[in-house]
Amino acid sequence: QVQLVESGGGLVQAGGSLRLSCAASGRTFSSINMGWFRQAPGKERDFVAAISWSGRSTNYADSVKGRFPISRDNAKNTVYLQMNSLKPEDTAVYYCAASTKIYGSGSYYSHYYDYWGQGTQVTVSS
């Protein structure tokens, strides 16, 4: 069992930055793969980024590649999403997710993940 708690959301102007954090507990953090998803009002939950248990492999949605690097600190049981050059279309609730499955292309899909956080709101004004 894994519990995930997101933090770091807020209100920023377009072009600004935020760093989201996701703290995990209940299972050895280094043994699980992690991802970030986001959901805007009236839209589906979409993939943002993923990182393998070792941190050696990452995947990004085309919409955020080059802007939102994902990283993890296994000593702190925490995964991060550094959001730079924010745009109004980035406005959404951001969710942290964890998976015990083998890392790969499946990380793009929500069914790959076994555990989810409650979400943190990110609002980008123009």
Side-chain angles (χ1 to χ4, degrees):
Q1 195 70 35
V2 176
Q3 294 80 45
L4 304 172
V5 180
E6 304 98 333
S7 62
L11 173 65
V12 296
Q13 294 185 11
S17 297
L18 284 174
R19 188 178 75 161
L20 303 185
S21 299
C22 175
S25 62
R27 186 184 176 95
T28 302
F29 184 69
S30 61
S31 69
I32 56 175
N33 305 310
M34 303 293 295
W36 287 95
F37 284 71
R38 66 186 182 184
Q39 187 169 25
K43 303 192 71 176
E44 295 183 346
R45 187 172 297 185
D46 292 328
F47 172 77
V48 177
I51 188 166
S52 65
W53 68 269
S54 67
R56 297 191 185 107
S57 298
T58 57
N59 288 291
Y60 296 95
D62 288 342
S63 59
V64 306
K65 190 173 184 179
R67 294 194 297 131
F68 289 8
I70 187 172
S71 62
R72 66 191 296 162
D73 186 341
N74 289 350
K76 296 182 177 180
N77 290 350
T78 301
V79 64
Y80 304 97
L81 186 70
Q82 178 64 52
M83 302 187 295
N84 301 310
S85 301
L86 283 161
K87 305 173 182 179
E89 52 262 44
D90 295 319
T91 296
V93 176
Y94 283 71
Y95 296 90
C96 178
S99 177
T100 59
K101 303 179 182 69
I102 296 173
Y103 189 84
S105 60
S107 64
Y108 287 92
Y109 305 101
S110 61
H111 59 76
Y112 171 78
Y113 297 92
D114 306 300
Y115 307 99
W116 295 84
Q118 301 250 53
T120 185
Q121 177 71 47
V122 173
T123 302
V124 184
S125 62
S126 60

